[in-house]
Amino acid sequence: VVPAAAAQDLAGLEVAVSVGGTREHLDPVRFLGNSSSGRMGWALARAARLRGAQVHAVVGHTDVAGPPAVEVERVGSTAELATAMTRAAKTADVVVMAAAPADFTPRGSSETKIKKSGDAGLSVELVQTPDVLRGLVEARQDPDQVIVGFAAETAVDQAQLVDLGRAKLARKGCDLLVLNAVGHGLVFGQEDNEITVLSRDDDGATLVDGPYAGSKDVLAHRILDRALTHRRRDTV
Ligand code: CTP
Ligand code: CA
């Protein structure tokens, strides 16, 4: 079912991919997290490796094990993910932000376990984490490097999904944006998925590819196909 896996069309290329969710600590034993399983990120790492790429995975919290022959760097918070991905992206030909970074982090994390105080509740002030993807786009040195972002959106239909995606693609400045519709128990933690890939041509027009349904492994190959097409657009 994965014919592209036979082709070594990523041989000689370096792929940096972020996987899973990040955790923002309130104290040594508590954190804010999300329900990302890491399956899509791992599927991309596996697909890229099968096609001959050297793969560096920056991995937050995941529910499942990763593929063999992939270099793994573990991270906790979004700030740690930002540092690791920025370093990995320096030499990468393809950069994929498949992780679900926490958008907010406590303003201050306690060094000691937070204790209850009488019957009082607890208020926590949250501040925004760095936008890793936008940072990678801004720091890009190699004009041939392809940067891929993801967006999970709640949309009523495909047209609204694409509209939301267009706005996010413009805001992030990445080359490809992989969109999926969420809500109603869709996507997170599931084996199968449906994606639409947005990209921009050199005139700034948005190309819409999909929707494609399938296993995350099959979709990972589709995404890498699109990344390669984008990379080669000047030479074909
Ligand atoms: N992302 C990132 N750094 C963050 C948050 C998100 O790099 N602090 C990346 C994700 O890995 C994904 C893309 O940005 O590739 C879009 O993530 P998404 O959560 O859809 O977008 P946000 O910019 O966080 O906006 P919002 O959640 O408000 O829709
Ligand atoms: Ca977000």
Side-chain angles (χ1 to χ4, degrees):
V1 210
V2 189
Q8 292 291 297
D9 56 358
L10 294 176
L13 296 183
E14 210 178 303
V15 174
V17 58
S18 66
V19 181
T22 63
R23 291 178 164 185
E24 306 298 323
H25 273 272
L26 287 161
D27 71 13
V29 296
R30 303 187 179 99
F31 54 82
L32 298 171
N34 60 63
S35 51
S36 168
S37 68
R39 285 176 202 274
M40 192 67 234
W42 281 137
L44 282 152
R46 181 181 303 112
R49 185 72 199 103
L50 280 171
R51 289 163 72 159
Q54 187 191 323
V55 180
H56 185 98
V58 172
V59 183
H61 176 79
T62 62
D63 295 339
V64 288
V70 164
E71 193 190 334
V72 171
E73 183 177 0
R74 297 270 168 187
V75 294
S77 65
T78 297
E80 285 172 25
L81 181 97
T83 303
M85 278 305 283
T86 304
R87 196 181 320 111
K90 284 205 174 97
T91 53
D93 300 289
V94 178
V95 178
V96 188
M97 275 297 298
D103 290 336
F104 302 99
T105 192
R107 182 178 285 286
S109 142
S110 173
E111 297 281 316
T112 53
K113 190 181 165 206
I114 299 168
K115 290 298 220 182
K116 283 189 288 192
S117 163
D119 54 7
L122 176 70
S123 297
V124 178
E125 191 186 348
L126 304 177
V127 295
Q128 267 192 42
T129 55
D131 190 318
V132 185
L133 181 57
R134 221 170 48 205
L136 295 172
V137 170
E138 280 161 12
R140 169 161 51 190
Q141 308 253 319
D142 171 9
D144 290 334
Q145 182 181 68
V146 181
I147 303 182
V148 183
F150 274 74
E153 306 283 357
T154 39
V156 294
D157 57 19
Q158 178 71 5
Q160 192 192 22
L161 182 70
V162 169
D163 277 349
L164 289 167
R166 263 182 222 278
K168 192 162 279 184
L169 182 64
R171 194 161 77 242
K172 300 279 185 178
C174 52
D175 302 303
L176 265 58
L177 189 71
V178 181
L179 282 172
N180 45 57
V182 290
H184 318 293
L186 293 167
V187 184
F188 273 8
Q190 299 203 348
E191 209 63 65
D192 275 21
N193 202 350
E194 186 180 276
I195 60 163
T196 300
V197 184
L198 302 189
S199 56
R200 272 176 309 182
D201 67 14
D202 291 327
D203 302 324
T206 307
L207 307 174
V208 181
D209 195 28
Y212 297 111
S215 71
K216 288 185 177 177
D217 282 321
V218 167
L219 296 177
H221 282 285
R222 284 252 179 230
I223 293 163
L224 293 174
D225 290 345
R226 289 299 310 165
L228 263 187
T229 307
H230 189 83
R231 186 179 161 81
R232 292 177 180 148
R233 70 197 183 284
D234 298 332
T235 52
V236 289

